[in-house]
Amino acid sequence: MGSLRFVTAGESHGPELTGILEGMPAGVEVTVEEIEADLLRRMMGYGRGARMKIETDRVKIKSGVRAGSTLGSPITLTIENKDWENWIDIMDSAPDIEPNPRRRRVVRPRPGHADLTGSMKYDFLDARNVLERASARETAVRVAVGAVCRKFLGLFGIEIGSHIVAIGSVKAQSILDLPVGLNESADRSEVRCLDDDASKRMIEEIDRAKSNGDTLGGVAEIVVRGAMIGLGSHVSWDRKLDARLAQALMSIPAVKGVEIGMGFEAAYKLGSETHDEMLPGGTPHTGGVIRPTNRAGGLEGGITNGMPIVLRAAMKPIATLMKPLKTVNFETGEPANAQSERSDVTAVPAMGVIAEAMAAIVVANAVLEKFGADTTKDILKAVDGYLRRIEERWESAGQTSDT
Ligand SMILES: Cc1cc2nc3c(=O)[nH]c(=O)nc-3n(C[C@H](O)[C@H](O)[C@H](O)COP(=O)(O)O)c2cc1C
């Protein structure tokens, strides 16, 4: 497996979030502004709650980067929570002087959130101990880590974008030829959807859900372009790149389904309608063949085949409803209405951006696994040598068949 590792720390209303990325080689140029551009994209999207309005995420690079370039040492990124001042007495790490419970205790677990499962497992009397960490606030620092990986991938011409294909019952029209600047196009829509008519209907659906005190889920499509053939491996279950991408996307809070290429649809089709035929004449990047279709979504045998990697992540509706669902108060054992606190109506557009970051981390790791070295210069040379090897192989195949 690749040498890239990352860990995040921090509670939703704690002082800050921290991410440590280890294994990034030296020589990747990255700036605070580039990371913040992705953080801003995560905060966009129609249907977000009040918090997105009070915070503009700012990142600090605290280690691993000097003079705009990575050093090969662990990279520490932090994002302050601007609201911390208002939460000190609730979230402070110091022991309580008074035996009184802290303000804003949560004892009415929300169906669909981690409140009950986490509180029972960790024996907490206050579900805030769980929800502060289960909250998707943590994904802000994943996006920051992903932004560094995205810069690394850019050295090889690998680009990652996403767009929203469904929110609630509104589905966007499927587009065969996605625009080259996928994110630039998607970010123009408030719901990050390329279909203008569907965008409008998605916004209406969000407004309707909001006025009913309800919430919505949806589907994001993530596209990785420019990945060369040969990332990942068929040899062991935990080296398969399709499996690793699925895990990474599934780890995003509220994501409950992941599809690759045709995904579930392939189960209902014939083999002749599903697999991507090969024609002679491709580039070393695509293994020396041309594929008129990309139904596999760029992955065969857990290995990239040089076609765009196409992933879809399905997000369930947000668990915090303003018209709360029934629950049981775990302090009294009595029936109750679930906890309602400041919340998003939908966060599908943001989820797409987080999924891009997770895909960037996994693909960067796969590149390092195959070509890993201490500096980007050595890695670029290794990629060159590999692609030349594939080219030479096809040249000699041609010669053999001619004679
Ligand atoms: C970008 C994003 C924002 C989210 N915002 C909220 C929110 O405001 N309220 C909420 O209840 N859940 C929100 N969620 C979902 C919860 O974090 C998630 O449902 C919860 O942690 C339980 O995990 P699970 O759904 O994966 O089982 C959000 C998820 C994402 C990806």
Side-chain angles (χ1 to χ4, degrees):
M1 297 273 274
S3 54
L4 204 59
R5 298 192 295 163
F6 84 103
V7 67
T8 72
E11 274 71 42
S12 178
H13 296 98
E16 66 183 18
L17 298 164
T18 305
I20 300 181
L21 175 64
E22 194 198 26
M24 186 49 64
V28 181
E29 287 175 10
V30 64
T31 64
V32 160
E33 290 72 27
E34 284 164 338
I35 299 174
E36 286 179 350
D38 267 356
L39 292 177
L40 194 64
R41 294 180 57 238
R42 193 196 77 99
M43 301 181 79
M44 296 186 326
Y46 197 81
R48 302 303 301 279
R51 184 160 195 181
M52 293 304 114
K53 297 189 180 78
I54 57 165
E55 299 216 5
T56 304
D57 283 331
R58 297 266 172 235
V59 73
K60 284 191 182 136
I61 303 178
K62 294 208 170 150
S63 75
V65 179
R66 183 161 185 246
S69 187
T70 58
L71 301 174
S73 54
I75 299 168
T76 309
L77 304 171
T78 62
I79 301 169
E80 269 178 33
N81 287 326
K82 300 260 164 50
D83 215 15
W84 167 237
E85 294 293 307
N86 300 323
W87 286 80
I88 296 177
D89 62 324
I90 302 167
M91 293 302 296
D92 192 21
S93 62
D96 290 329
I97 300 161
E98 304 272 322
N100 293 333
R102 290 193 178 196
R103 282 197 299 126
R104 300 195 68 151
R105 270 182 83 211
V106 176
V107 294
R108 292 172 290 125
R110 290 162 295 175
H113 218 293
D115 305 347
L116 181 74
T117 49
S119 298
M120 292 298 141
K121 180 175 167 66
Y122 289 88
D123 196 21
F124 291 141
L125 299 175
D126 180 356
R128 183 160 301 285
N129 289 347
V130 178
L131 69 93
E132 283 287 333
R133 180 65 185 160
S135 155
R137 176 78 190 134
E138 178 262 346
T139 60
V141 79
R142 293 202 217 179
V143 168
V145 168
V148 179
C149 294
R150 197 194 284 273
K151 281 303 308 256
F152 169 72
L153 292 173
L155 296 170
F156 312 94
I158 302 174
E159 275 181 9
I160 304 188
S162 73
H163 63 118
I164 301 311
V165 296
I167 291 184
S169 66
V170 182
K171 287 188 187 152
Q173 264 191 342
S174 65
I175 300 170
L176 273 184
D177 283 319
L178 289 171
V180 177
L182 176 55
N183 281 339
E184 289 73 44
S185 300
D187 289 347
R188 264 182 240 132
S189 150
E190 277 189 287
V191 280
R192 307 200 60 252
C193 175
L194 300 172
D195 174 345
D196 289 342
D197 179 54
S199 287
K200 271 190 222 124
R201 285 183 291 122
M202 285 172 183
I203 288 171
E204 283 162 18
E205 184 130 329
I206 295 168
D207 287 340
R208 224 172 3 255
K210 187 174 182 178
S211 61
N212 291 333
D214 221 320
T215 59
L216 293 169
V219 181
E221 184 169 83
I222 302 96
V223 183
V224 184
R225 286 179 172 132
M228 63 292 279
I229 192 168
L231 303 180
S233 178
H234 64 289
V235 298
S236 287
W237 69 271
D238 56 349
R239 291 187 56 190
K240 289 174 179 257
L241 196 62
D242 46 0
R244 286 151 65 180
L245 285 163
Q247 191 205 359
L249 297 195
M250 200 65 114
S251 77
I252 300 169
V255 169
K256 295 298 145 195
V258 175
E259 288 188 316
I260 296 176
M262 270 171 88
F264 270 57
E265 202 193 325
Y268 311 107
K269 297 271 185 195
L270 292 166
S272 54
E273 298 167 322
T274 302
H275 303 299
D276 304 305
E277 289 188 307
M278 305 182 202
L279 305 173
T283 62
H285 226 82
T286 54
V289 300
I290 290 175
R291 307 272 192 151
T293 56
N294 182 26
R295 297 160 180 154
L299 286 153
E300 288 171 306
I303 306 173
T304 52
N305 65 11
M307 296 296 284
I309 302 173
V310 182
L311 311 162
R312 272 180 300 280
M315 183 178 189
K316 71 184 186 186
I318 298 289
T320 310
L321 273 64
M322 286 306 137
K323 201 193 261 176
L325 298 173
K326 283 184 199 145
T327 191
V328 182
N329 182 317
F330 61 50
E331 198 171 39
T332 64
E334 297 296 323
N337 286 330
Q339 174 76 17
S340 242
E341 63 175 64
R342 187 173 61 183
S343 195
D344 300 326
V345 177
T346 193
V348 179
M351 182 273 285
V353 177
I354 301 160
E356 286 174 36
M358 292 309 294
I361 295 166
V362 172
V363 175
N365 197 21
V367 169
L368 286 167
E369 183 178 298
K370 177 135 184 64
F371 305 106
D374 302 314
T375 78
T376 53
K377 241 189 223 167
D378 291 349
I379 298 172
L380 283 164
K381 260 195 207 141
V383 172
D384 239 35
Y386 166 70
L387 293 175
R388 209 164 332 115
R389 195 255 286 156
I390 294 179
E391 192 167 21
E392 283 164 10
R393 185 190 152 128
W394 280 103
E395 277 165 15
S396 64
Q399 279 161 19
T400 318
S401 62
D402 282 350
T403 50

